[in-house]
Amino acid sequence: MDRVRDLASKKAAVIFTKSSCCMCHSIKQLFYELGASPEVHELDNDSYGKEMEWAIRSLGCNPSVPAVFIGGRFVGSSKDMISLHVDGSLKQMLMDAKAIWL
C-alpha cells in the first residue's frame, strides 16, 4: 500500500493500468484529450505489480485497473472517470490538482 500511495503522490495525475486492458487505454486517452499527462504505471510490467494490485483492490477498486489518483487521492476506476467526465467535474479536478492548465 505504501508503494501505491508513494507513486500516486508524485504527480498530479497517476493511473495504474495493465498493458492488455482496453478500458485502461480508454481512460489514458481521455486524460490526454483533456490535456493532462498522467504518470502511468503498468502493473503487469512492474516487479511489484501483484503487490500493488492487491493494495489497489484494498482501496475498493474492483477490477483493480484502471485505478486513478488525482492530487494524490484515489478517485476511482473507469466507470468513475466516465461519470466524472460526463458531469464535467473531471476536468475541474484535474485543474485543481494542477494536472492541466486552462
Side-chain angles (χ1 to χ4, degrees):
M1 180 66 86
D2 292 337
R3 183 168 175 77
V4 170
R5 291 199 188 279
D6 181 51
L7 292 171
S9 67
K10 291 192 179 209
K11 280 199 72 178
V14 178
I15 305 173
F16 291 91
T17 70
K18 286 187 177 177
S19 59
S20 61
C21 172
C22 62
M23 287 307 295
C24 295
H25 175 75
S26 298
I27 296 305
K28 289 187 292 186
Q29 286 305 119
L30 172 62
F31 273 58
Y32 297 139
E33 288 174 17
L34 291 171
S37 274
E39 182 166 318
V40 176
H41 296 280
E42 290 188 345
L43 299 181
D44 54 341
N45 293 326
D46 189 299
S47 60
Y48 294 99
K50 276 290 184 202
E51 177 185 307
M52 290 191 292
E53 187 172 355
W54 283 108
I56 290 166
R57 281 183 190 227
S58 75
L59 294 172
C61 191
N62 192 14
S64 59
V65 293
V68 178
F69 290 76
I70 298 174
R73 186 174 66 91
F74 175 65
V75 292
S77 64
S78 55
K79 70 176 183 154
D80 303 304
M81 294 307 102
I82 292 166
S83 295
L84 291 169
H85 179 57
V86 168
D87 77 13
S89 57
L90 178 58
K91 190 172 192 176
Q92 188 60 51
M93 289 175 78
L94 291 168
M95 289 181 353
D96 291 346
K98 307 234 183 312
I100 57 175
W101 300 269
L102 295 178

